[in-house]
């Protein structure tokens, strides 16, 4: 499949994504029973993941979003983080679960975690659909729930983009190098 100037091949199918998300939902339902967590999606890449995951949640919960970006339309991460939409809810004393599409170097995530900690939540954990363990530059103890671990490769689809394209794809594809 061609997206802009690059070629991609299938990596994770829609069905496998749905199955994994059901299991993540079950885990969250158990771990947060009696707690009313706040799910904070990190836009834009998380939008499909958040939509599908929260449908599996059967305990009281809140859902909100923030927007951070470290990629600027390329295929490698930059260290600069741009803050586009700030968080509007009060998380003081609340159990926060950050929902990410993908953790690559971990820089975006650790920036967000440090920022959220200033507002003294009761707890912060992270649930990421994808993780590239080989690219992770920092150890992030809050990273508790992972959908799939993938190789050091660039992926698109299911919310993830290349030059803002491909977010609408049902499956996840990897770059053919
Ligand atoms: P990090 O700060 O290096 O962990 O990068 C995290 C952000 O970069 C993610 O939230 C994505 O928006 C973007 N990103 C990282 N890897 C990929 C990829 O393979 N495809 C598309 N976007 C990616």
């Amino acid at each position: 499949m061609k997206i802009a100037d690059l070629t991609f091949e299938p990596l994770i199918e829609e069905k496998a994504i749905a199955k994994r998300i059901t299991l993540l939902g079950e885990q969250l339902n158990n771990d947060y029973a009696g707690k009313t967590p706040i799910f904070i999606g990190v836009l834009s890449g998380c939008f499909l993941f958040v939509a599908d995951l929260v449908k599996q949640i059967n305990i009281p919960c809140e859902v909100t979003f923030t927007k951070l970006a470290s990629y600027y339309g390329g295929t490698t991460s930059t260290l600069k983080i741009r803050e586009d939409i700030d968080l509007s809810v009060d998380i003081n004393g609340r159990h926060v679960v950050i929902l990410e599409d993908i953790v690559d170097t971990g820089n975006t995530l650790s920036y967000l975690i440090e920022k959220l900690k200033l507002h003294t939540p009761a707890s912060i954990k992270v649930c990421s659909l994808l993780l590239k363990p080989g690219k992770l530059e920092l150890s992030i103890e809050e990273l508790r729930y992972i959908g799939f671990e993938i190789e050091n490769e660039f992926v698109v689809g299911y919310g993830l983009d290349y030059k803002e394209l491909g977010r609408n794809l049902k499956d996840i594809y990897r770059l053919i190098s």
Side-chain angles (χ1 to χ4, degrees), residues 12-53:
I12 310 172
E13 282 188 353
E14 185 185 8
K15 265 193 187 157
I17 298 171
K19 212 167 155 188
R20 189 70 190 99
I21 289 177
T22 304
L23 293 175
L24 287 173
E26 281 172 13
Q27 248 182 303
L28 290 163
N29 286 328
N30 287 330
D31 294 357
Y32 288 88
K35 285 197 173 129
T36 313
I38 300 186
F39 292 108
I40 302 179
V42 185
L43 291 168
S44 299
C46 77
F47 72 105
L48 290 178
F49 179 46
V50 173
D52 287 341
L53 181 67

Side-chain angles (χ1 to χ4, degrees), residues 70-71 77 100-109 132 153-155 160-161:
S70 68
Y71 248 73
S77 192
E100 271 276 19
D101 50 353
I102 188 162
V103 177
D104 185 293
T105 62
N107 285 305
T108 312
L109 189 56
K132 298 179 191 172
E153 54 200 354
F154 186 76
V155 291
L160 291 146
D161 75 303

Side-chain angles (χ1 to χ4, degrees), residues 8 42-46 68-72 74-81 100-110 128 130-132 135-138 140 150-157 159-163 167 173:
F8 294 82
V42 185
L43 291 168
S44 299
C46 77
L68 299 171
S70 68
Y71 248 73
Y72 302 101
T75 59
T76 51
S77 192
T78 64
L79 278 179
K80 269 179 135 182
I81 293 166
E100 271 276 19
D101 50 353
I102 188 162
V103 177
D104 185 293
T105 62
N107 285 305
T108 312
L109 189 56
S110 68
S128 182
L130 302 171
L131 171 70
K132 298 179 191 172
K135 294 277 290 282
L136 205 54
E137 291 174 4
L138 315 141
I140 302 175
I150 62 169
E151 300 294 312
N152 296 350
E153 54 200 354
F154 186 76
V155 291
V156 293
L160 291 146
D161 75 303
Y162 170 57
K163 293 188 174 170
R167 294 193 194 277
Y173 295 78

Side-chain angles (χ1 to χ4, degrees), residues 88-155:
S88 56
V89 293
D90 184 9
I91 60 166
N92 178 33
R94 302 296 303 275
H95 293 282
V96 168
V97 183
I98 299 172
L99 301 181
E100 271 276 19
D101 50 353
I102 188 162
V103 177
D104 185 293
T105 62
N107 285 305
T108 312
L109 189 56
S110 68
Y111 171 91
L112 179 61
I113 291 170
E114 290 316 309
K115 206 184 111 188
L116 294 181
K117 275 185 181 166
L118 300 176
H119 299 278
T120 55
S123 69
I124 304 183
K125 293 286 178 270
V126 180
C127 175
S128 182
L129 178 65
L130 302 171
L131 171 70
K132 298 179 191 172
K135 294 277 290 282
L136 205 54
E137 291 174 4
L138 315 141
S139 96
I140 302 175
E141 61 174 301
E142 290 85 358
L143 199 48
R144 169 72 57 90
Y145 309 93
I146 303 294
F148 300 92
E149 293 195 350
I150 62 169
E151 300 294 312
N152 296 350
E153 54 200 354
F154 186 76
V155 291

